[in-house]
Amino acid sequence: MDILIMAGQLILGLTILVGVHEMGHMLTAKWFGMRVEKFAIGFPPKLFGKKFGETEYMIGAVPLGALSKSPV
């Protein structure tokens, strides 16, 4: 059971780390005036999403990374 808890903590920690990293990309792009179409924590399929302004923020089913997508 301890191994499952440690694996869950590892996945959660990596997801938070990668999410913060990708958020840095997104905020920098917006700061320089680029349009950001999507920002997701986790990979598809999409579990939940909400559009604010021109950016769609999503939570994906596979919590092993993040995505920040610009049209360029």
Side-chain angles (χ1 to χ4, degrees), residues 4 13 31 33 36 46:
L4 291 176
W31 188 43
V36 178
K46 176 174 70 170

Side-chain angles (χ1 to χ4, degrees), residues 6-68:
M6 289 174 59
Q9 290 173 337
L10 176 66
I11 290 171
L12 179 63
L14 286 174
T15 299
I16 291 169
L17 182 68
V18 172
V20 169
H21 174 85
E22 288 299 324
M23 189 180 301
H25 289 289
M26 180 193 68
L27 293 174
T28 303
K30 286 187 174 233
W31 188 43
F32 281 98
M34 294 179 66
R35 191 174 89 235
V36 178
E37 295 176 348
K38 294 181 183 178
F39 178 78
I41 301 287
F43 293 122
K46 176 174 70 170
L47 295 177
F48 174 77
K50 184 78 174 167
K51 189 164 188 166
F52 293 104
E54 62 186 18
T55 304
E56 182 180 10
Y57 298 89
M58 300 180 294
I59 302 290
V62 183
L64 295 176
L67 166 75
S68 181

